[in-house]
Amino acid sequence: MIDLRSDTVTRPTEAMRRAMAGAPVGDDVFGEDPTVNRLEEYVAELLGKEAAIYCPSGTMTNQIGLYLGTNRGDEVILHEAAHIFNYEAGAPALLSGVQVRPLSGERGVVSPEALRAAVRPENVHFPRPKLLCLENTHNVAGGRILPLEGFAAVAAEARTLGLKVHLDGARLFNAAVATSTPAREWCEHADTVSVCSSKGLGAPVGSLLAGDEETIREARRARKAFGGGMRQAGVIAAASLYAFEHHIERLAEDHERAKKLAAGLDRAGYRVEEPETNIVLVEVREAEEFLRALAREGVLATPRSESTIRLVTHLDVGDGEIDAVVEAASRLNSAALER
Ligand SMILES: *Cc1c(COP(=O)(O)O)cnc(C)c1O
């Protein structure tokens, strides 16, 4: 099976497993795991933030970011296709007691004008808008890069309106590599940033939340409360550290393969959006039925809508697999055309 459902399906490499096996460990709830401490320092530096905290998942780092940026009854403003709004099991309501205000916008982006129009004045009737969340790259929009200038503009507007900014950077390094822009340049415009090591970077587990010292100190309490305090976590943190040290630049290969895949599918007669990073969205007649046929050809992907499927390139797919996927899809399309 060629698995293009997500970049989360990768297995740790041999070198990564060696790093895990040899990692010095301690009790991280006591702050005594040297590998976790190294990872946190490494990622804080990479993102240009004072501190970072290691957590089990991107959902947890996003939700800690939300929790620290709001009080009960406050409003969180985000794009209607945001991961935080759609795929985190209602956690903003469940864990932080906040109201989520989804806005529309081109390609996952909230414009400064839309933000300004959504922020309501101080009045006893209105929830208090406290936090703007944006996503880079944007998952549902097809791995779209949040342009730095656009992000800087909307973040500046948020600040003017008295809101904090959280950046869901699960795939921030895809954006950084694709644009040759250091990740920290986006982070400058955000109060808190989450990044995942378990997506394209290929670690089996892990996400980090970065911010200033005081925020991350509070985040340690929130992580404990949310059930994410881990003990000898160096065993898994070592994989994340390895991923940040060795797998960032190679994301360019995933982007090349996504382009190659899109071009091949285009030649085979499919309507494909030109990918910016490692996610390819393809139009088909009926997504679920198409995916079943594709699976019979040995290829796994996920539905994005009733007539769009998503294919994601990653560390465990090479050029040979991309060719095989294009061939499988070509067979399906010509079969459909002959019918
Ligand atoms: C995957 C992802 C997350 C975090 O998901 P977890 O599975 O909880 O690690 C957050 N935001 C985006 C945009 C994602 O794609």
Side-chain angles (χ1 to χ4, degrees), residues 57-59 62 83 88 135 139 168 170-171 196 198-199:
S57 72
T59 297
N62 278 339
H83 192 278
E88 300 192 5
E135 195 172 308
N139 185 344
D168 177 352
R171 294 189 181 83
C196 285
S198 58
K199 298 274 165 86

Side-chain angles (χ1 to χ4, degrees), residues 13-339:
T13 62
E14 278 310 313
M16 191 180 268
R17 286 175 190 270
R18 278 196 297 277
M20 296 171 77
V25 297
D27 190 328
D28 181 49
V29 172
F30 295 151
E32 290 172 3
D33 189 297
T35 307
V36 172
N37 293 344
R38 250 183 79 202
L39 169 66
E40 293 180 344
E41 283 163 25
Y42 189 88
V43 172
E45 167 71 26
L46 209 51
L47 300 180
K49 293 291 184 197
E50 288 175 8
I53 180 172
Y54 181 57
C55 292
S57 72
T59 297
M60 188 178 284
T61 47
N62 278 339
Q63 294 304 326
I64 293 176
L66 244 75
Y67 177 76
L68 296 177
T70 56
N71 290 306
R72 283 168 65 90
D74 287 343
E75 192 167 64
V76 172
I77 297 179
L78 37 61
H79 190 271
E80 62 190 355
H83 192 278
I84 291 173
F85 178 50
N86 292 289
Y87 302 114
E88 300 192 5
L94 183 69
L95 301 175
S96 298
V98 292
Q99 168 164 303
V100 173
R101 178 92 180 270
L103 303 183
S104 56
E106 281 291 302
R107 298 152 55 95
V109 179
V110 170
S111 69
E113 296 73 34
L115 177 66
R116 200 177 321 122
V119 167
R120 290 172 285 195
E122 176 64 34
N123 179 303
V124 72
H125 294 85
F126 301 146
R128 290 195 172 103
K130 280 287 180 60
L131 186 68
L132 170 70
C133 296
L134 285 177
E135 195 172 308
N136 193 20
T137 63
H138 200 280
N139 185 344
V140 169
R144 294 293 156 196
I145 297 161
L146 178 56
L148 183 58
E149 314 74 59
F151 180 53
V154 71
E157 185 65 40
R159 231 165 286 268
T160 305
L161 295 164
L163 275 71
K164 287 192 167 173
V165 179
H166 172 74
L167 177 61
D168 177 352
R171 294 189 181 83
L172 181 60
F173 293 99
N174 292 86
V177 167
T179 57
S180 304
T181 308
R184 52 167 64 210
E185 293 198 16
W186 275 280
C187 302
E188 247 177 59
H189 305 285
D191 297 282
T192 49
V193 183
S194 64
V195 290
C196 285
S197 56
S198 58
K199 298 274 165 86
L201 298 182
V205 196
S207 175
L208 289 102
L209 180 75
D212 63 30
E213 292 277 3
E214 191 190 333
T215 303
I216 299 308
R217 198 172 327 110
E218 278 306 305
R220 292 190 192 284
R221 178 180 294 270
R223 181 184 66 177
K224 196 75 183 77
F226 289 180
M230 299 182 285
R231 302 296 179 173
Q232 285 71 33
V235 173
I236 50 175
S240 291
L241 183 58
Y242 186 91
F244 284 109
E245 286 176 337
H246 300 281
H247 289 172
I248 291 181
E249 293 309 321
R250 69 147 305 285
L251 290 170
E253 295 173 30
D254 297 345
H255 301 166
E256 274 309 304
R257 291 193 178 107
K259 285 199 169 59
K260 188 174 159 200
L261 175 60
L265 293 173
D266 178 68
R267 276 194 305 277
Y270 290 88
R271 279 189 61 183
V272 192
E273 276 182 44
E274 174 72 13
E276 291 182 5
T277 55
N278 68 331
I279 299 179
V280 180
L281 297 181
V282 187
E283 279 185 36
V284 294
R285 201 170 313 133
E286 211 281 305
E288 294 287 352
E289 186 190 313
F290 184 87
L291 289 172
R292 277 193 296 277
L294 196 62
R296 285 194 293 274
E297 297 278 346
V299 180
L300 300 178
T302 53
R304 169 53 71 228
S305 72
E306 281 184 9
S307 59
T308 314
I309 63 163
R310 184 187 85 156
L311 303 107
V312 187
T313 57
H314 53 73
L315 191 58
D316 289 357
V317 289
D319 293 325
E321 277 95 354
I322 297 299
D323 293 338
V325 173
V326 170
E327 280 163 29
S330 304
R331 283 194 294 276
L332 291 179
N333 209 22
S334 42
L337 293 174
E338 277 158 25
R339 217 187 303 145

